[in-house]
C-alpha cells in the first residue's frame, strides 16, 4: 500500500514515533518472546499506517479500525504479561511447579 501511495507522488513514509513502545528481547528469548516483540512492531507499523491514511483522507477512519487496533494491543500485552509471569515462576524454585502443572 505504501508503494501505491508513493507512485502517486505522496511524501515518503514518516518514521513512526511508536517504536519506543516496542520492548527488547530478554536474554535467551523463546519463540514466544520473539513473537511478542514482532507483534508489537507490526502494531506500531499499523498505527503509523492508519495515521497516514487519516491524514491523506483528511478524515478519521471508522471507529471499528481504532477498536481493532486497541484489542490487538490488549491481546499482545496479555500474552506479554503471561510470559513475564512464566519467566518469573521459572526463576523462582518455589513457584516452578506452578507452571510445570500447566504444561
Amino acid at each position: 500500500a505504501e508503494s501505491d501511495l508513493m507512485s502517486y507522488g505522496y511524501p515518503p513514509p514518516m518514521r513512526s514515533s511508536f517504536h519506543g513502545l516496542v520492548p527488547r528481547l530478554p536474554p535467551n528469548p523463546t519463540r514466544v518472546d520473539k513473537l511478542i516483540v514482532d507483534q508489537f512492531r507490526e502494531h506500531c507499523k499499523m498505527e503509523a499506517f492508519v495515521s497516514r491514511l487519516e491524514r491523506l483522507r483528511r478524515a478519521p477512519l471508522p471507529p471499528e479500525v481504532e477498536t481493532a487496533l486497541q484489542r490487538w494491543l490488549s491481546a499482545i500485552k496479555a500474552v506479554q504479561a503471561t510470559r513475564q509471569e512464566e519467566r518469573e515462576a521459572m526463576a523462582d524454585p518455589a513457584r516452578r511447579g506452578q507452571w510445570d502443572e500447566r504444561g
Side-chain angles (χ1 to χ4, degrees), residues 43 47 64-78:
H43 184 270
E47 287 272 348
E64 293 85 7
V65 174
E66 182 65 29
T67 302
L69 286 173
Q70 288 174 353
R71 286 183 181 170
W72 184 16
L73 185 59
S74 297
I76 297 168
K77 288 181 178 183

Side-chain angles (χ1 to χ4, degrees), residues 51-63:
S51 176
R52 247 179 274 142
L53 280 177
E54 288 177 334
R55 269 196 315 276
L56 289 172
R57 291 179 70 211
R58 292 189 175 99
L61 291 172

Side-chain angles (χ1 to χ4, degrees), residues 10 17 27 43 58 74 79 102:
Y10 288 106
S17 61
H43 184 270
R58 292 189 175 99
S74 297
V79 172
R102 290 184 182 182

